[in-house]
Amino acid sequence: MVSENSDTSGGDPSALALKILVAGGFGAGKTTLVGAVSEIRPLRTEELLSEAGQAVDYTGGVEGKDTTTVAMDFGRITIRSGLSLYLFGAPGQDRFWFLWDDLSTGALGAVVLADTRRLEDCFPAVDYFEHRRIPFVVAVNCFADARAYGAHDVSRALDLDRGTPVLLCDARDRDSGKEVLIRLVEYAGRVHTARLLDSVG
């Protein structure tokens, strides 16, 4: 475990820190994922849901949710020696989407968390990253009370571009979340390398 004040590079000048965005619909598990994998105490900007927000925060399918992220979540994980990921969890409600441009600046890629109980909530995030050509993976958070769908079914339902990875995960489990992040880094690396080769070809 790395302490909050430690230098994850270990003094290695070749150490790499990558920025990753975690996005998705309201209640999909973004805060949970960042908190589960972070090796530092995660920064959270959660507020209690209020009666005033009932008109804009649709809680169908996630009735037990009583807080919401109003700015961002932040965490850090060391994937291996010399490679750290800085995780920025984006708020899910559309009234906070104006924050996404700032949060996504400089990001290597993104994780779009999906909840099959409210799969349509993923469309804004999918559209956002596709239009900005930011590589992303879709991680289906497998809630116990949700109907199980395979990766191919989710890919087809979201009309994803061919080759966009779809993974099944448990946002509460550190190893599961870490595997999602590793797959994202690998995929984003391939995408950026291919674009670089195209640009000089």
Side-chain angles (χ1 to χ4, degrees):
M1 215 56 156
V2 181
S3 71
E4 191 162 353
N5 297 317
S6 66
D7 177 5
T8 58
S9 70
D12 181 0
S14 65
L16 190 60
L18 303 174
K19 181 179 182 181
I20 302 296
L21 203 62
V22 180
F26 176 65
K30 301 177 294 297
T31 298
T32 300
L33 176 66
V34 172
V37 302
S38 182
E39 62 201 10
I40 62 172
R41 175 189 284 180
L43 168 68
R44 293 176 174 159
T45 58
E46 286 196 304
E47 295 292 340
L48 289 171
L49 292 173
S50 66
E51 290 185 13
Q54 287 180 351
V56 290
D57 292 331
Y58 173 63
T59 57
V62 289
E63 289 82 2
K65 185 171 175 61
D66 58 5
T67 62
T68 186
T69 298
V70 296
M72 69 170 189
D73 300 307
F74 174 78
R76 184 187 71 208
I77 179 174
T78 301
I79 295 297
R80 58 171 171 75
S81 178
L83 176 59
S84 297
L85 304 182
Y86 288 85
L87 310 175
F88 292 79
Q93 301 97 307
D94 54 5
R95 69 182 187 275
F96 296 125
W97 286 347
F98 68 92
L99 296 167
W100 285 31
D101 285 342
D102 286 336
L103 290 175
S104 63
T105 299
L108 173 79
V111 174
V112 176
L113 267 179
D115 177 353
T116 57
R117 300 169 302 181
R118 298 162 49 117
L119 195 58
E120 66 279 3
D121 289 0
C122 286
F123 281 111
V126 168
D127 289 343
Y128 182 90
F129 297 122
E130 284 183 344
H131 290 154
R132 286 160 181 79
R133 301 184 74 228
I134 298 174
F136 68 95
V137 302
V138 173
V140 180
N141 193 7
C142 299
F143 290 92
D145 58 343
R147 182 177 170 186
Y149 292 91
H152 178 71
D153 294 328
V154 172
S155 179
R156 189 169 54 183
L158 292 176
D159 193 26
L160 297 176
D161 289 342
R162 185 176 180 181
T164 302
V166 177
L167 316 167
L168 305 182
C169 75
D170 181 345
R172 302 166 300 178
D173 182 76
R174 187 176 194 276
D175 289 339
S176 181
K178 185 175 180 179
E179 180 62 26
V180 168
L181 295 171
I182 290 171
R183 289 285 301 277
L184 169 63
V185 170
E186 292 172 345
Y187 172 66
R190 292 194 301 270
V191 170
H192 287 297
T193 298
R195 289 176 183 170
L196 179 61
L197 292 174
D198 286 343
S199 70
V200 298

